[in-house]
Amino acid sequence: MNHFEPPMQWNDHEDIAMALYEKFGDDFNEAKIYRIRFTDLVEWVLSLPNFEGTREQSNEGHLEQIQAKWVYEWRDNQ
C-alpha cells in the first residue's frame, strides 16, 4: 500500500475497482463480478486499506459503478 495515496471514499469508483482487482486478480471474471452480492461487495470495499467511507454511505448506485469499473479493470488486464 502506498501511504501517500489519499483515502478512498464511496465515489472513488475507479480507485476502488483497481484495489479490488489487485486484491482478487483473476479470481473473478466479468460474469462473476456482476454476480457478486452487494452485501459482500460492501464488506470487501470496507476492508480495503486506505478506504475511509462508512457502510451507511454506500448505496446501490455506488456499488453498480464499482462493479462496472471492476469489469473494465479486469478486461484491461486480460
Side-chain angles (χ1 to χ4, degrees):
M1 181 180 113
N2 182 347
H3 295 284
F4 298 102
E5 292 178 9
M8 289 184 285
Q9 298 291 332
W10 282 107
N11 61 345
D12 296 319
H13 306 133
E14 192 165 342
D15 293 334
I16 293 168
M18 288 171 52
L20 289 169
Y21 181 76
E22 287 175 19
K23 181 175 182 172
F24 293 106
D26 289 330
D27 291 349
F28 289 91
N29 61 22
E30 182 172 345
K32 286 183 179 179
I33 292 168
Y34 281 125
R35 286 197 310 262
I36 294 168
R37 293 192 321 254
F38 282 170
T39 52
D40 291 337
L41 186 54
V42 167
E43 294 305 320
W44 296 346
V45 172
L46 290 171
S47 72
L48 292 173
N50 220 27
F51 185 79
E52 291 190 353
T54 66
R55 181 182 317 280
E56 294 74 29
Q57 294 168 325
S58 71
N59 62 46
E60 192 171 321
H62 286 312
L63 297 170
E64 288 171 347
Q65 285 295 312
I66 291 165
Q67 278 182 316
K69 299 292 186 191
W70 188 357
V71 166
Y72 295 142
E73 188 66 22
W74 177 81
R75 286 179 186 166
D76 285 349
N77 286 281
Q78 297 310 299

Coordinates of all heavy atoms in Angstrom, one line a residue:
M1 N 0.8 -1.2 0.0 CA 0.0 0.0 0.0 C 0.9 1.2 0.0 O 1.9 1.3 0.7 CB -0.9 0.0 1.2 CG -1.8 1.2 1.3 SD -2.9 1.1 2.8 CE -2.2 2.5 3.6
N2 N 0.5 2.2 -0.8 CA 1.2 3.5 -0.8 C 0.6 4.4 0.2 O -0.6 4.8 0.1 CB 1.1 4.1 -2.3 CG 1.9 5.3 -2.4 OD1 2.3 5.9 -1.4 ND2 2.0 5.8 -3.6
H3 N 1.4 4.8 1.2 CA 0.8 5.6 2.3 C 0.6 7.0 1.9 O 0.2 7.8 2.7 CB 1.8 5.5 3.5 CG 1.8 4.1 4.1 ND1 0.8 3.7 4.9 CD2 2.7 3.2 4.0 CE1 1.1 2.4 5.2 NE2 2.3 2.1 4.7
F4 N 1.0 7.4 0.6 CA 0.9 8.8 0.2 C -0.4 8.9 -0.6 O -0.7 10.0 -1.1 CB 2.1 9.2 -0.6 CG 3.3 9.2 0.2 CD1 4.3 8.1 0.1 CD2 3.6 10.2 1.2 CE1 5.4 8.1 0.9 CE2 4.7 10.1 2.0 CZ 5.6 9.1 1.8
E5 N -1.1 7.9 -0.9 CA -2.4 8.0 -1.6 C -3.5 8.6 -0.7 O -3.5 8.3 0.5 CB -2.8 6.6 -2.1 CG -1.9 6.0 -3.1 CD -2.4 4.6 -3.5 OE1 -3.5 4.2 -3.1 OE2 -1.6 3.9 -4.2
P6 N -4.3 9.4 -1.3 CA -5.4 10.0 -0.5 C -6.4 8.9 -0.1 O -6.5 7.9 -0.9 CB -6.0 11.0 -1.4 CG -5.6 10.6 -2.8 CD -4.3 9.9 -2.6
P7 N -7.1 9.0 1.0 CA -8.1 8.0 1.3 C -9.2 7.9 0.3 O -9.5 8.9 -0.3 CB -8.6 8.4 2.7 CG -8.2 9.9 2.8 CD -7.0 10.1 1.9
M8 N -9.7 6.7 0.1 CA -10.8 6.5 -0.8 C -12.1 6.6 -0.1 O -12.3 6.3 1.1 CB -10.7 5.1 -1.4 CG -9.6 4.8 -2.3 SD -9.6 3.2 -3.1 CE -9.1 2.2 -1.8
Q9 N -13.1 7.1 -0.9 CA -14.5 7.2 -0.4 C -15.4 6.5 -1.4 O -14.9 6.0 -2.4 CB -14.9 8.7 -0.4 CG -14.1 9.6 0.6 CD -14.4 9.2 2.1 OE1 -15.5 8.7 2.4 NE2 -13.4 9.4 2.9
W10 N -16.6 6.4 -1.1 CA -17.5 5.6 -2.0 C -17.6 6.1 -3.4 O -17.8 5.3 -4.3 CB -19.0 5.5 -1.4 CG -19.0 4.6 -0.3 CD1 -19.1 4.9 1.1 CD2 -19.0 3.1 -0.3 NE1 -19.2 3.7 1.8 CE2 -19.1 2.6 1.0 CE3 -18.9 2.2 -1.4 CZ2 -19.1 1.3 1.3 CZ3 -18.9 0.9 -1.1 CH2 -19.0 0.4 0.2
N11 N -17.4 7.4 -3.6 CA -17.5 7.9 -5.0 C -16.2 7.7 -5.8 O -16.1 8.1 -7.0 CB -18.0 9.3 -5.0 CG -17.0 10.3 -4.3 OD1 -16.2 9.8 -3.5 ND2 -17.2 11.6 -4.5
D12 N -15.2 7.1 -5.2 CA -13.9 6.9 -5.9 C -14.0 5.5 -6.6 O -13.2 4.6 -6.3 CB -12.7 6.9 -4.9 CG -12.5 8.3 -4.3 OD1 -12.7 9.3 -5.1 OD2 -12.3 8.3 -3.1
H13 N -15.0 5.3 -7.5 CA -15.3 4.0 -8.1 C -14.2 3.4 -8.8 O -13.9 2.2 -8.6 CB -16.5 4.2 -9.1 CG -17.7 4.9 -8.5 ND1 -18.4 5.9 -9.1 CD2 -18.3 4.7 -7.3 CE1 -19.4 6.3 -8.4 NE2 -19.4 5.6 -7.2
E14 N -13.4 4.2 -9.6 CA -12.3 3.6 -10.3 C -11.2 3.1 -9.4 O -10.6 2.0 -9.6 CB -11.8 4.5 -11.4 CG -10.9 3.9 -12.3 CD -10.7 4.7 -13.6 OE1 -11.5 5.7 -13.8 OE2 -9.7 4.5 -14.3
D15 N -10.9 3.9 -8.4 CA -9.8 3.6 -7.4 C -10.2 2.3 -6.7 O -9.4 1.4 -6.4 CB -9.5 4.7 -6.5 CG -8.9 5.9 -7.2 OD1 -8.3 5.7 -8.2 OD2 -9.1 7.0 -6.7
I16 N -11.4 2.2 -6.3 CA -11.9 1.1 -5.5 C -11.8 -0.2 -6.4 O -11.4 -1.2 -6.0 CB -13.4 1.3 -5.0 CG1 -13.4 2.4 -3.9 CG2 -13.9 0.0 -4.5 CD1 -14.8 2.9 -3.6
A17 N -12.3 0.0 -7.7 CA -12.3 -1.2 -8.6 C -10.8 -1.6 -8.8 O -10.6 -2.9 -8.9 CB -12.9 -0.8 -9.9
M18 N -9.9 -0.7 -9.0 CA -8.5 -1.1 -9.1 C -8.0 -1.9 -7.9 O -7.3 -2.9 -8.0 CB -7.6 0.1 -9.4 CG -7.9 0.7 -10.8 SD -7.1 2.3 -11.2 CE -5.4 2.0 -10.7
A19 N -8.3 -1.4 -6.7 CA -7.9 -2.0 -5.5 C -8.5 -3.4 -5.4 O -7.8 -4.4 -5.0 CB -8.3 -1.2 -4.3
L20 N -9.8 -3.6 -5.8 CA -10.4 -4.9 -5.7 C -9.8 -5.8 -6.7 O -9.5 -7.0 -6.5 CB -11.9 -4.8 -6.0 CG -12.7 -4.2 -4.9 CD1 -14.1 -3.8 -5.4 CD2 -12.7 -5.0 -3.7
Y21 N -9.4 -5.3 -7.9 CA -8.7 -6.2 -8.9 C -7.4 -6.6 -8.4 O -7.0 -7.8 -8.5 CB -8.6 -5.5 -10.3 CG -7.9 -6.4 -11.3 CD1 -8.6 -7.4 -11.8 CD2 -6.6 -6.3 -11.5 CE1 -8.0 -8.3 -12.7 CE2 -5.9 -7.1 -12.4 CZ -6.7 -8.2 -13.0 OH -6.0 -9.0 -13.8
E22 N -6.7 -5.7 -7.8 CA -5.3 -6.0 -7.2 C -5.5 -7.1 -6.1 O -4.7 -8.0 -6.0 CB -4.7 -4.8 -6.6 CG -4.2 -3.8 -7.7 CD -3.6 -2.5 -7.1 OE1 -3.3 -2.5 -5.8 OE2 -3.5 -1.6 -7.8
K23 N -6.6 -7.0 -5.3 CA -6.8 -7.9 -4.2 C -7.2 -9.3 -4.7 O -6.7 -10.3 -4.2 CB -7.9 -7.4 -3.3 CG -8.2 -8.3 -2.1 CD -9.2 -7.6 -1.2 CE -9.4 -8.5 0.0 NZ -10.2 -7.8 1.1
F24 N -8.1 -9.4 -5.7 CA -8.6 -10.6 -6.2 C -8.1 -11.1 -7.5 O -8.3 -12.3 -7.8 CB -10.2 -10.5 -6.3 CG -10.8 -10.4 -4.9 CD1 -11.4 -9.1 -4.6 CD2 -10.9 -11.4 -4.0 CE1 -12.0 -9.0 -3.3 CE2 -11.6 -11.3 -2.8 CZ -12.1 -10.0 -2.5
G25 N -7.4 -10.3 -8.2 CA -6.8 -10.7 -9.5 C -7.9 -11.3 -10.4 O -9.0 -10.8 -10.6
D26 N -7.5 -12.5 -11.0 CA -8.4 -13.1 -12.0 C -9.3 -14.1 -11.3 O -9.9 -15.0 -12.0 CB -7.6 -13.8 -13.1 CG -6.9 -12.8 -14.0 OD1 -7.5 -11.7 -14.2 OD2 -5.8 -13.0 -14.5
D27 N -9.4 -14.1 -10.0 CA -10.4 -15.0 -9.3 C -11.8 -14.7 -9.7 O -12.7 -15.5 -9.7 CB -10.3 -14.8 -7.8 CG -9.0 -15.3 -7.2 OD1 -8.3 -16.0 -7.9 OD2 -8.8 -15.0 -6.0
F28 N -12.1 -13.4 -10.2 CA -13.4 -13.0 -10.6 C -13.3 -12.5 -12.1 O -12.6 -11.6 -12.4 CB -13.9 -11.9 -9.8 CG -14.3 -12.3 -8.4 CD1 -13.4 -12.2 -7.4 CD2 -15.6 -12.8 -8.1 CE1 -13.7 -12.6 -6.1 CE2 -16.0 -13.2 -6.9 CZ -15.0 -13.1 -5.8
N29 N -14.0 -13.2 -13.0 CA -14.1 -12.7 -14.3 C -15.4 -11.8 -14.4 O -16.0 -11.6 -13.5 CB -14.2 -13.9 -15.3 CG -15.4 -14.8 -15.1 OD1 -16.4 -14.4 -14.5 ND2 -15.3 -16.0 -15.5
E30 N -15.6 -11.4 -15.7 CA -16.7 -10.4 -15.8 C -18.1 -11.0 -15.3 O -18.8 -10.3 -14.6 CB -16.9 -10.1 -17.3 CG -18.0 -9.1 -17.6 CD -17.9 -8.6 -19.1 OE1 -17.0 -8.9 -19.8 OE2 -18.9 -8.0 -19.5
A31 N -18.4 -12.2 -15.6 CA -19.7 -12.8 -15.2 C -19.7 -12.9 -13.7 O -20.8 -12.6 -13.0 CB -19.9 -14.1 -15.8
K32 N -18.6 -13.3 -13.1 CA -18.6 -13.4 -11.6 C -18.7 -12.1 -10.9 O -19.3 -12.0 -9.8 CB -17.4 -14.2 -11.2 CG -17.4 -15.7 -11.5 CD -16.1 -16.3 -10.9 CE -16.1 -17.8 -11.2 NZ -14.9 -18.5 -10.7
I33 N -18.0 -11.1 -11.5 CA -18.1 -9.7 -10.9 C -19.5 -9.2 -10.8 O -20.0 -8.7 -9.8 CB -17.2 -8.7 -11.6 CG1 -15.7 -9.1 -11.4 CG2 -17.4 -7.3 -11.2 CD1 -14.7 -8.4 -12.4
Y34 N -20.3 -9.4 -11.9 CA -21.6 -8.9 -11.9 C -22.6 -9.8 -11.1 O -23.7 -9.4 -10.8 CB -22.2 -8.9 -13.4 CG -21.7 -7.6 -14.1 CD1 -21.0 -7.7 -15.3 CD2 -21.9 -6.3 -13.5 CE1 -20.6 -6.6 -16.0 CE2 -21.4 -5.2 -14.2 CZ -20.8 -5.3 -15.4 OH -20.4 -4.2 -16.0
R35 N -22.1 -11.0 -10.6 CA -23.0 -11.8 -9.7 C -22.7 -11.6 -8.3 O -23.3 -12.3 -7.4 CB -22.9 -13.3 -10.1 CG -23.6 -13.6 -11.4 CD -23.8 -15.1 -11.6 NE -22.6 -15.9 -11.4 CZ -21.9 -16.3 -12.4 NH1 -22.1 -16.1 -13.7 NH2 -20.8 -17.1 -12.2
I36 N -21.7 -10.8 -7.9 CA -21.3 -10.6 -6.5 C -22.5 -9.9 -5.8 O -23.1 -8.9 -6.3 CB -20.1 -9.7 -6.4 CG1 -18.9 -10.4 -7.0 CG2 -19.8 -9.3 -5.0 CD1 -17.6 -9.5 -7.2
R37 N -22.9 -10.5 -4.7 CA -23.9 -9.8 -3.9 C -23.4 -8.5 -3.3 O -22.3 -8.4 -2.9 CB -24.3 -10.8 -2.7 CG -25.0 -12.0 -3.2 CD -25.6 -12.8 -2.0 NE -24.9 -12.8 -0.8 CZ -24.2 -13.9 -0.4 NH1 -24.2 -15.0 -1.0 NH2 -23.6 -13.8 0.8
F38 N -24.3 -7.5 -3.3 CA -23.9 -6.2 -2.8 C -23.5 -6.3 -1.4 O -22.6 -5.5 -1.0 CB -25.0 -5.2 -3.1 CG -25.1 -4.7 -4.5 CD1 -26.2 -3.9 -4.9 CD2 -24.2 -4.9 -5.4 CE1 -26.3 -3.4 -6.2 CE2 -24.2 -4.5 -6.7 CZ -25.3 -3.7 -7.1
T39 N -24.1 -7.2 -0.6 CA -23.7 -7.3 0.8 C -22.2 -7.7 0.9 O -21.5 -7.2 1.8 CB -24.6 -8.3 1.6 OG1 -24.6 -9.5 0.9 CG2 -26.0 -7.7 1.7
D40 N -21.8 -8.6 0.0 CA -20.4 -9.0 0.0 C -19.5 -7.9 -0.5 O -18.4 -7.6 0.1 CB -20.2 -10.2 -0.9 CG -20.8 -11.5 -0.3 OD1 -21.0 -11.5 0.9 OD2 -21.1 -12.4 -1.1
L41 N -19.9 -7.2 -1.5 CA -19.1 -6.1 -2.1 C -18.9 -5.0 -1.1 O -17.8 -4.5 -1.0 CB -19.8 -5.6 -3.4 CG -19.1 -4.5 -4.2 CD1 -17.7 -5.0 -4.6 CD2 -19.8 -4.1 -5.4
V42 N -19.9 -4.7 -0.3 CA -19.8 -3.6 0.7 C -18.7 -4.0 1.7 O -17.8 -3.2 2.0 CB -21.1 -3.4 1.4 CG1 -20.9 -2.6 2.7 CG2 -22.1 -2.7 0.5
E43 N -18.7 -5.3 2.2 CA -17.7 -5.7 3.1 C -16.3 -5.7 2.5 O -15.4 -5.3 3.2 CB -18.0 -7.2 3.6 CG -19.3 -7.3 4.4 CD -19.4 -6.4 5.6 OE1 -18.3 -6.2 6.3 OE2 -20.4 -5.8 5.8
W44 N -16.2 -6.1 1.3 CA -14.8 -6.1 0.6 C -14.3 -4.7 0.5 O -13.1 -4.4 0.7 CB -14.9 -6.7 -0.7 CG -15.2 -8.2 -0.7 CD1 -15.2 -9.0 0.4 CD2 -15.7 -9.0 -1.8 NE1 -15.6 -10.3 0.1 CE2 -15.9 -10.3 -1.2 CE3 -15.9 -8.8 -3.1 CZ2 -16.3 -11.4 -2.0 CZ3 -16.3 -9.8 -3.9 CH2 -16.5 -11.1 -3.4
V45 N -15.2 -3.7 0.1 CA -14.8 -2.3 0.0 C -14.4 -1.8 1.3 O -13.3 -1.1 1.5 CB -15.9 -1.5 -0.7 CG1 -15.5 0.0 -0.7 CG2 -16.1 -1.9 -2.1
L46 N -15.2 -2.0 2.3 CA -14.9 -1.5 3.7 C -13.6 -2.1 4.2 O -12.9 -1.4 5.0 CB -16.0 -1.9 4.7 CG -17.3 -1.1 4.4 CD1 -18.4 -1.7 5.3 CD2 -17.2 0.4 4.7
S47 N -13.2 -3.3 3.8 CA -11.9 -3.9 4.3 C -10.7 -3.4 3.5 O -9.6 -3.8 3.9 CB -12.0 -5.4 4.2 OG -11.9 -5.8 2.8
L48 N -10.8 -2.6 2.4 CA -9.7 -2.2 1.7 C -8.8 -1.2 2.5 O -9.4 -0.3 3.2 CB -10.1 -1.5 0.4 CG -10.8 -2.3 -0.7 CD1 -11.3 -1.5 -1.8 CD2 -9.8 -3.4 -1.2
P49 N -7.5 -1.4 2.4 CA -6.7 -0.4 3.1 C -6.9 1.0 2.4 O -7.2 1.0 1.3 CB -5.2 -0.9 2.8 CG -5.3 -2.1 2.0 CD -6.8 -2.4 1.7
N50 N -6.9 2.0 3.2 CA -7.0 3.3 2.7 C -8.4 3.7 2.4 O -8.7 4.8 1.8 CB -6.1 3.6 1.5 CG -5.4 4.9 1.5 OD1 -5.2 5.5 2.6 ND2 -5.1 5.4 0.3
F51 N -9.4 2.9 2.7 CA -10.8 3.2 2.4 C -11.4 3.8 3.7 O -11.3 3.2 4.8 CB -11.6 2.0 2.0 CG -13.0 2.4 1.7 CD1 -13.3 2.9 0.4 CD2 -14.1 2.2 2.6 CE1 -14.6 3.4 0.1 CE2 -15.4 2.6 2.3 CZ -15.6 3.2 1.0
E52 N -12.0 5.0 3.6 CA -12.5 5.7 4.8 C -14.0 5.9 4.8 O -14.5 6.6 5.7 CB -11.7 7.0 5.0 CG -10.3 6.8 5.4 CD -9.6 8.1 5.8 OE1 -10.2 9.2 5.6 OE2 -8.5 8.1 6.2
G53 N -14.7 5.4 3.8 CA -16.1 5.6 3.8 C -16.7 4.7 4.8 O -16.1 3.8 5.4
T54 N -18.0 4.9 5.1 CA -18.8 4.1 6.0 C -19.8 3.2 5.3 O -20.2 3.5 4.2 CB -19.4 4.9 7.1 OG1 -20.5 5.7 6.4 CG2 -18.5 5.8 7.8
R55 N -20.3 2.2 6.0 CA -21.3 1.3 5.5 C -22.6 2.2 5.2 O -23.2 1.9 4.1 CB -21.6 0.3 6.5 CG -22.7 -0.7 6.1 CD -23.0 -1.7 7.2 NE -21.8 -2.2 7.9 CZ -21.0 -3.2 7.5 NH1 -21.3 -3.8 6.3 NH2 -20.0 -3.6 8.2
E56 N -22.9 3.1 6.0 CA -24.1 3.9 5.8 C -24.0 4.8 4.6 O -25.0 5.2 4.0 CB -24.3 4.8 7.1 CG -24.6 4.0 8.3 CD -23.4 3.3 8.9 OE1 -22.3 3.8 8.8 OE2 -23.6 2.2 9.6
Q57 N -22.8 5.1 4.1 CA -22.7 6.0 2.9 C -22.8 5.2 1.6 O -22.9 5.8 0.6 CB -21.3 6.7 3.0 CG -21.1 7.7 4.1 CD -19.7 8.1 4.2 OE1 -18.8 7.4 4.1 NE2 -19.5 9.4 4.6
S58 N -22.8 3.9 1.7 CA -22.8 3.1 0.5 C -24.3 3.1 0.0 O -25.2 3.3 0.7 CB -22.4 1.6 0.7 OG -23.4 0.9 1.5
N59 N -24.4 2.9 -1.3 CA -25.7 2.8 -1.9 C -25.6 2.0 -3.2 O -24.5 1.7 -3.7 CB -26.4 4.2 -2.2 CG -25.6 5.0 -3.1 OD1 -25.2 4.6 -4.2 ND2 -25.4 6.3 -2.8
E60 N -26.8 1.6 -3.8 CA -26.8 0.8 -4.9 C -26.1 1.4 -6.1 O -25.4 0.7 -6.9 CB -28.2 0.5 -5.3 CG -28.4 -0.6 -6.3 CD -29.8 -1.0 -6.5 OE1 -30.6 -1.1 -5.5 OE2 -30.2 -1.3 -7.7
G61 N -26.2 2.7 -6.3 CA -25.5 3.4 -7.4 C -24.0 3.3 -7.3 O -23.3 3.0 -8.3
H62 N -23.5 3.5 -6.1 CA -22.0 3.3 -5.9 C -21.6 1.9 -6.2 O -20.6 1.7 -6.9 CB -21.6 3.7 -4.5 CG -21.6 5.1 -4.2 ND1 -21.1 6.1 -5.0 CD2 -22.1 5.8 -3.1 CE1 -21.2 7.3 -4.5 NE2 -21.9 7.1 -3.3
L63 N -22.3 0.9 -5.7 CA -22.0 -0.5 -5.9 C -22.0 -0.9 -7.3 O -21.1 -1.6 -7.8 CB -22.8 -1.4 -5.0 CG -22.7 -1.1 -3.5 CD1 -23.7 -1.8 -2.7 CD2 -21.3 -1.4 -3.0
E64 N -23.0 -0.4 -8.1 CA -23.1 -0.7 -9.5 C -21.9 -0.1 -10.3 O -21.4 -0.8 -11.2 CB -24.4 -0.2 -10.1 CG -25.6 -1.0 -9.6 CD -26.9 -0.3 -10.0 OE1 -27.0 0.8 -10.4 OE2 -28.0 -1.0 -9.9
Q65 N -21.6 1.1 -9.9 CA -20.4 1.7 -10.6 C -19.1 1.0 -10.3 O -18.3 0.9 -11.2 CB -20.3 3.2 -10.2 CG -21.4 4.1 -10.8 CD -21.2 4.2 -12.3 OE1 -20.1 4.4 -12.8 NE2 -22.2 4.0 -13.0
I66 N -19.0 0.6 -9.1 CA -17.8 -0.2 -8.7 C -17.7 -1.5 -9.5 O -16.6 -1.8 -10.0 CB -17.7 -0.4 -7.1 CG1 -17.5 0.9 -6.4 CG2 -16.7 -1.4 -6.8 CD1 -17.8 0.9 -4.9
Q67 N -18.8 -2.2 -9.6 CA -18.8 -3.4 -10.4 C -18.4 -3.1 -11.8 O -17.6 -3.8 -12.4 CB -20.2 -4.1 -10.3 CG -20.5 -4.9 -9.1 CD -21.8 -5.5 -9.2 OE1 -22.8 -4.9 -9.6 NE2 -21.9 -6.8 -8.8
A68 N -19.0 -2.1 -12.4 CA -18.7 -1.8 -13.8 C -17.2 -1.4 -14.0 O -16.6 -1.9 -14.9 CB -19.6 -0.6 -14.3
K69 N -16.7 -0.6 -13.1 CA -15.3 -0.2 -13.2 C -14.4 -1.4 -13.0 O -13.3 -1.6 -13.6 CB -14.9 0.9 -12.2 CG -15.7 2.1 -12.4 CD -15.4 2.9 -13.7 CE -16.1 4.2 -13.7 NZ -16.0 4.8 -15.0
W70 N -14.8 -2.4 -12.1 CA -14.0 -3.6 -11.8 C -14.0 -4.4 -13.1 O -12.9 -5.0 -13.4 CB -14.6 -4.3 -10.7 CG -13.9 -5.5 -10.1 CD1 -12.7 -6.0 -10.6 CD2 -14.2 -6.3 -9.0 NE1 -12.3 -7.1 -9.9 CE2 -13.2 -7.3 -8.9 CE3 -15.2 -6.3 -8.1 CZ2 -13.2 -8.2 -7.8 CZ3 -15.3 -7.2 -7.1 CH2 -14.3 -8.2 -7.0
V71 N -15.1 -4.5 -13.8 CA -15.1 -5.3 -15.0 C -14.2 -4.7 -16.1 O -13.4 -5.4 -16.7 CB -16.6 -5.4 -15.6 CG1 -16.6 -5.8 -17.1 CG2 -17.4 -6.3 -14.7
Y72 N -14.2 -3.3 -16.2 CA -13.3 -2.7 -17.1 C -11.8 -2.9 -16.7 O -11.0 -3.2 -17.6 CB -13.5 -1.1 -17.1 CG -14.8 -0.7 -17.7 CD1 -15.5 0.3 -17.1 CD2 -15.5 -1.4 -18.7 CE1 -16.8 0.7 -17.6 CE2 -16.7 -1.0 -19.2 CZ -17.4 0.0 -18.6 OH -18.6 0.4 -19.1
E73 N -11.5 -2.9 -15.4 CA -10.2 -3.2 -15.0 C -9.8 -4.6 -15.3 O -8.7 -4.9 -15.8 CB -10.1 -2.9 -13.5 CG -8.7 -3.0 -12.9 CD -7.8 -1.9 -13.4 OE1 -8.2 -0.8 -13.8 OE2 -6.6 -2.1 -13.3
W74 N -10.7 -5.6 -15.1 CA -10.4 -7.0 -15.4 C -10.2 -7.1 -16.9 O -9.2 -7.8 -17.3 CB -11.6 -7.8 -15.0 CG -11.4 -9.3 -15.3 CD1 -10.7 -10.2 -14.6 CD2 -12.0 -9.9 -16.4 NE1 -10.7 -11.4 -15.3 CE2 -11.5 -11.3 -16.4 CE3 -12.8 -9.5 -17.5 CZ2 -11.8 -12.2 -17.3 CZ3 -13.1 -10.5 -18.5 CH2 -12.7 -11.8 -18.4
R75 N -11.0 -6.5 -17.7 CA -10.8 -6.6 -19.2 C -9.5 -6.0 -19.6 O -8.8 -6.6 -20.5 CB -11.9 -5.8 -19.9 CG -13.3 -6.5 -19.9 CD -14.3 -5.6 -20.6 NE -15.6 -6.1 -20.5 CZ -16.7 -5.4 -20.8 NH1 -16.6 -4.2 -21.2 NH2 -17.9 -6.0 -20.8
D76 N -9.1 -4.9 -19.0 CA -7.8 -4.3 -19.4 C -6.6 -5.2 -19.1 O -5.6 -5.0 -19.7 CB -7.6 -2.9 -18.7 CG -8.5 -1.8 -19.2 OD1 -9.1 -2.0 -20.3 OD2 -8.6 -0.8 -18.6
N77 N -6.8 -6.1 -18.2 CA -5.7 -6.9 -17.8 C -5.7 -8.3 -18.4 O -4.9 -9.2 -18.0 CB -5.6 -7.0 -16.2 CG -5.1 -5.7 -15.6 OD1 -3.9 -5.5 -15.6 ND2 -6.0 -4.9 -15.2
Q78 N -6.6 -8.5 -19.3 CA -6.7 -9.8 -20.0 C -5.8 -9.9 -21.2 O -5.5 -8.9 -21.8 CB -8.1 -10.2 -20.3 CG -9.0 -10.3 -19.1 CD -8.4 -11.2 -18.0 OE1 -8.2 -12.4 -18.3 NE2 -8.1 -10.7 -16.9

